[in-house]
Amino acid sequence: EAQVTQNPRYLITVTGKKLTVTCSQNMNHEYMSWYRQDPGLGLRQIYYSMNVEVTDKGDVPEGYKVSRKEKRNFPLILESPSPNQTSLYFCASSFHAGQFYNEQFFGPGTRLTVL
Amino acid sequence: DAKTTQPNSMESNEEEPVHLPCNHSTISGTDYIHWYRQLPSQGPEYVIHGLTSNVNNRMASLAIAEDRKSSTLILHRATLRDAAVYYCILRDPNSGYALNFGKGTSLLVTP
């Protein structure tokens, strides 16, 4: 089944404890991205990747890192999480970023709470 | 960036058609009109997209005004599973790769 998977789905952590949220897609997509969703602010893009080893900042990149060493994986890294990073996180992928008619596929979400 | 305007919420009865409007008066000639929806506790899901002509797929129909300043997502027979937030999004090749979701329309479907 074609899908985007995220792990973990739920995470409660404490300020400053490094964490990684994994994202994997099995559709051979070139483009992957991370969003966060907050009440009243909607979904905002954190980082995106056009292909392996090519990443760039989205609208809200502060406090996050990403890497794209393999085409299928795009982990989101929080080196020193803070309470303002408590949010619902979504990973997304699509075949080509440059083709603006392409649909994006989203993962099920990771609910992160930073105490 | 061209922006979209949608009603905050709409309500429909089950098995009736639903017409979800979207205004995009500043749309440019290269903007694609996309619709996504987000079911409760799930990630967004692609519904349909179009450029100039009306479009149909298994999920919905998209009716685009002749001047492209507005569009309507049509669910032909709403089911309880269609209760979701529906987002109308313009995709412009010149304004980056992110989907700008906005606030969307929350659709309530009642039995």
Side-chain angles (χ1 to χ4, degrees):
Chain A
E1 180 190 353
Q3 60 182 347
V4 178
T5 57
Q6 295 178 226
N7 282 293
R9 294 290 312 281
Y10 302 90
L11 179 60
I12 300 174
T13 189
V14 296
T15 298
K17 186 176 181 183
K18 181 179 178 179
L19 66 92
T20 299
V21 183
T22 65
C23 172
S24 183
Q25 50 89 9
N26 62 1
M27 296 169 279
N28 201 36
H29 285 171
E30 291 186 353
Y31 178 82
M32 297 185 74
S33 70
W34 277 101
Y35 292 82
R36 60 177 289 174
Q37 185 172 31
D38 301 290
L41 297 175
L43 284 111
R44 296 175 292 169
Q45 192 181 53
I46 304 170
Y47 267 95
Y48 64 93
S49 170
M50 301 286 282
N51 213 325
V52 176
E53 302 292 3
V54 181
T55 63
D56 209 344
K57 297 177 181 178
D59 296 324
V60 288
E62 294 77 21
Y64 304 95
K65 285 175 56 176
V66 292
S67 69
R68 186 92 182 274
K69 293 185 170 55
E70 307 166 278
K71 201 171 188 178
R72 64 183 293 128
N73 296 324
F74 190 46
L76 180 69
I77 303 155
L78 285 72
E79 296 267 2
S80 183
S82 63
N84 64 11
Q85 293 178 297
T86 292
S87 186
L88 180 57
Y89 291 86
F90 291 103
C91 181
S93 72
S94 69
F95 188 56
H96 275 305
Q99 293 169 350
F100 284 83
Y101 44 82
N102 279 348
E103 64 180 283
Q104 291 195 15
F105 294 80
F106 284 79
T110 295
R111 185 165 293 281
L112 172 65
T113 301
V114 183
L115 302 175
Chain B
D1 292 349
K3 295 197 185 303
T4 62
T5 304
Q6 300 176 252
N8 289 333
S9 62
M10 292 184 65
E11 192 169 337
S12 173
N13 294 321
E14 198 177 9
E15 297 189 5
E16 290 187 356
V18 182
H19 290 231
L20 296 160
C22 181
N23 287 322
H24 28 78
S25 58
T26 59
I27 191 170
S28 73
T30 54
D31 285 343
Y32 282 84
I33 301 161
H34 285 240
W35 284 81
Y36 281 73
R37 71 180 185 181
Q38 187 173 18
L39 302 169
S41 302
Q42 294 190 27
E45 173 187 38
Y46 167 83
V47 178
I48 200 167
H49 77 271
L51 184 60
T52 56
S53 305
N54 294 344
V55 184
N56 300 299
N57 67 20
R58 63 174 180 81
M59 289 181 69
S61 295
L62 176 60
I64 301 172
E66 196 168 332
D67 63 5
R68 299 208 329 126
K69 293 183 185 301
S70 66
S71 60
T72 302
L73 179 70
I74 303 165
L75 307 179
H76 295 285
R77 287 185 69 206
T79 68
L80 297 178
R81 197 196 171 275
D82 291 321
V85 179
Y86 287 79
Y87 298 96
C88 171
I89 300 167
L90 301 183
R91 299 214 66 198
D92 174 5
N94 297 318
S95 62
Y97 305 105
L99 292 173
N100 295 314
F101 279 86
K103 295 191 186 310
T105 297
S106 180
L107 176 65
L108 175 66
V109 180
T110 53

